Amino acid sequence: MTKEQINSYTRRISEANETQMITILYEMTLDYLADAKKALFAKDYDRYDVELTRAQNCITELIRSLNMNYEIAHTFMQLYIFAKRHLITAAIRREGDYINDIISIFEKMRNCYKELEKLNEAASVIEGAQHVFAGLTYGPGHLNETVADPYTNRGYRA
């Protein structure tokens, strides 16, 4: 994952509600899996293992986010366990087909959650986070970011 992607995810996480957080986790998992595939084709097996581990960590967070009071959560749990097992097999056998299977499933899940985002108008999970506004400066095509921070302590008490 590039530094730009990390900064983008950090900014999105600071402003996300519960549904958006799940979507972000799916997107991060997909990015890590894409990076793992690139590493596999480059025969960089150390990086391949690192990227698969990062993807598995995202899946672990998805598991932690489940509310087991609902029946559908048990189905999601089975799906996530299947995905983790598949990624472990991919790490052992060093085959991209296992990764492709998970990418296919997670792309569909991400798209479903993107639709759910439209229905959820809840506030951000993180209170006191900075809000970032970006706009073009007078330079041609130059992007300038401005941080508007209404909370001087950013949610922390000294």
Side-chain angles (χ1 to χ4, degrees):
M1 192 177 303
T2 65
K3 186 171 182 160
E4 244 176 43
Q5 287 174 306
I6 293 170
N7 289 339
S8 173
Y9 282 128
T10 302
R11 186 176 12 248
R12 287 177 58 202
I13 287 169
S14 71
E15 299 174 351
N17 63 29
E18 294 93 349
T19 307
Q20 293 166 336
M21 290 287 246
I22 300 300
T23 305
I24 291 168
L25 280 169
Y26 281 123
E27 291 174 356
M28 288 175 64
T29 304
L30 290 167
D31 284 344
Y32 288 135
L33 293 176
D35 291 345
K37 281 179 59 175
K38 288 178 191 173
L40 178 63
F41 291 127
K43 298 191 186 312
D44 184 354
Y45 297 121
D46 289 335
R47 184 168 164 240
Y48 175 73
D49 291 336
V50 167
E51 298 300 336
L52 284 181
T53 301
R54 289 177 176 164
Q56 289 176 24
N57 290 342
C58 288
I59 295 170
T60 300
E61 285 303 315
L62 287 167
I63 290 171
R64 288 182 185 154
S65 73
L66 292 173
N67 183 345
M68 299 309 284
N69 293 328
Y70 298 99
E71 185 65 32
I72 190 126
H74 298 281
T75 305
F76 277 78
M77 176 70 85
Q78 292 173 351
L79 178 70
Y80 296 150
I81 290 171
F82 168 80
K84 286 189 83 161
R85 287 181 180 161
H86 229 55
L87 293 181
I88 290 168
T89 304
I92 293 169
R93 295 192 179 170
R94 301 203 189 283
E95 293 179 16
D97 291 339
Y98 294 99
I99 296 173
N100 291 335
D101 293 342
I102 303 307
I103 287 174
S104 174
I105 293 168
F106 274 50
E107 282 176 343
K108 292 173 187 164
M109 297 296 291
R110 178 204 53 207
N111 294 340
C112 290
Y113 267 90
K114 280 194 175 275
E115 290 299 314
L116 287 174
E117 281 181 18
K118 297 174 186 175
L119 303 174
N120 187 352
E121 297 178 3
S124 173
V125 174
I126 300 174
E127 295 179 16
Q130 291 179 330
H131 297 285
V132 179
F133 302 94
L136 292 176
T137 62
Y138 292 105
H142 183 320
L143 185 65
N144 183 27
E145 293 183 346
T146 304
V147 177
D149 188 5
Y151 305 103
T152 56
N153 66 5
R154 296 185 62 197
Y156 302 106
R157 294 183 188 245

